[in-house]
């Protein structure tokens, strides 16, 4: 494993602080799509991004936002590369990202099981408004393909659920 230089760590923090264009409550680092950043030479940086799914339309906006942030920080040549393997998974969302999703009113994806095993089988999703697990699926797709639309039976509030992948 290659260790980041001080400059790479600084630039990675900058790139990772870019808000996700579809879920601006999360940064790209919290979402887990920022895979790598390398300084390839004086003034040249390569950033690797993995989209949440292969056809994700937000990848172009993410790339442009990263390029802008790094250009503004004095990096003249920024190359953002899309990397599809290993595939992104909802397990890549940080604990802070999951907390922010819930705080924002989006039920976060369930975490994987113990010791990296499968997601524990649960038949419902916890409401981010009242905490009830008595929820129902309204639509498999919501404002983005990554989310489903659900409603809490207890408090009757609709909410997005970030689907497990």
């Amino acid at each position: 494993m290659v260790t980041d230089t001080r400059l790479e760590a600084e630039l990675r923090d900058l790139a990772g602080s870019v808000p996700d264009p579809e879920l601006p409550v999360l940064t790209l680092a919290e979402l887990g799509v920022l895979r790598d950043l390398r300084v390839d030479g004086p003034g040249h940086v390569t950033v690797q991004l993995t989209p949440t799914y292969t056809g994700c339309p937000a990848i172009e906006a993410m790339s442009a936002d990263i390029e802008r942030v790094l250009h503004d920080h004095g990096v003249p040549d920024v190359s953002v590369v899309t990397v599809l393997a290993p595939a992104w998974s909802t397990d890549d969302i940080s604990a802070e990202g999951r907390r922010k999703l819930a705080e924002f009113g989006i039920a976060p994806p369930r975490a994987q099981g113990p010791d990296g095993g499968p997601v524990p089988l649960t038949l419902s999703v916890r409401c981010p408004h009242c905490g009830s697990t008595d929820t129902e699926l309204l639509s498999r797709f919501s404002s983005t393909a990554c989310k489903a639309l659900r409603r809490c039976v207890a408090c009757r509030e609709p909410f997005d659920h970030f689907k497990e992948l």
Side-chain angles (χ1 to χ4, degrees):
M1 179 174 173
V2 178
T3 305
D4 282 349
T5 66
R6 183 177 296 149
L7 177 59
E8 286 170 332
E10 178 184 341
L11 296 177
R12 182 187 303 273
D13 287 346
L14 280 170
S17 71
V18 169
D20 177 74
E22 294 179 331
L23 291 166
V25 67
L26 295 182
T27 67
L28 299 183
E30 292 164 342
L31 186 56
V33 298
L34 180 65
R35 293 299 170 126
D36 195 21
L37 182 144
R38 290 285 157 229
V39 174
D40 299 321
H44 180 74
V45 171
T46 299
V47 179
Q48 292 183 350
L49 284 181
T50 298
T52 55
Y53 67 98
T54 306
C56 179
I59 198 76
E60 290 178 20
M62 290 177 198
S63 298
D65 290 346
I66 287 172
E67 287 177 16
R68 179 186 43 75
V69 164
L70 294 180
H71 285 164
D72 289 351
H73 194 69
V75 180
D77 187 17
V78 178
S79 176
V80 180
V81 179
T82 301
V83 178
L84 301 179
W88 179 87
S89 157
T90 50
D91 292 337
D92 295 328
I93 300 174
S94 70
E96 179 66 6
R98 290 170 191 277
R99 185 194 64 73
K100 285 182 176 181
L101 283 172
E103 189 175 271
F104 192 64
I106 298 173
R110 292 168 284 229
Q112 67 182 13
D115 301 321
V119 173
L121 178 62
T122 55
L123 299 177
S124 193
V125 173
R126 186 170 301 279
C127 173
H129 304 293
C130 74
S132 172
T133 56
D134 190 7
T135 63
E136 60 187 356
L137 180 67
L138 297 178
S139 175
R140 290 180 353 140
F141 298 99
S142 184
S143 58
T144 66
C146 303
K147 294 182 285 188
L149 182 60
R150 301 187 72 89
R151 178 176 43 222
C152 179
V153 175
C155 73
R156 306 299 299 162
E157 287 293 323
F159 63 93
D160 281 337
H161 169 229
F162 205 110
K163 297 185 278 189
E164 293 80 15
L165 295 175

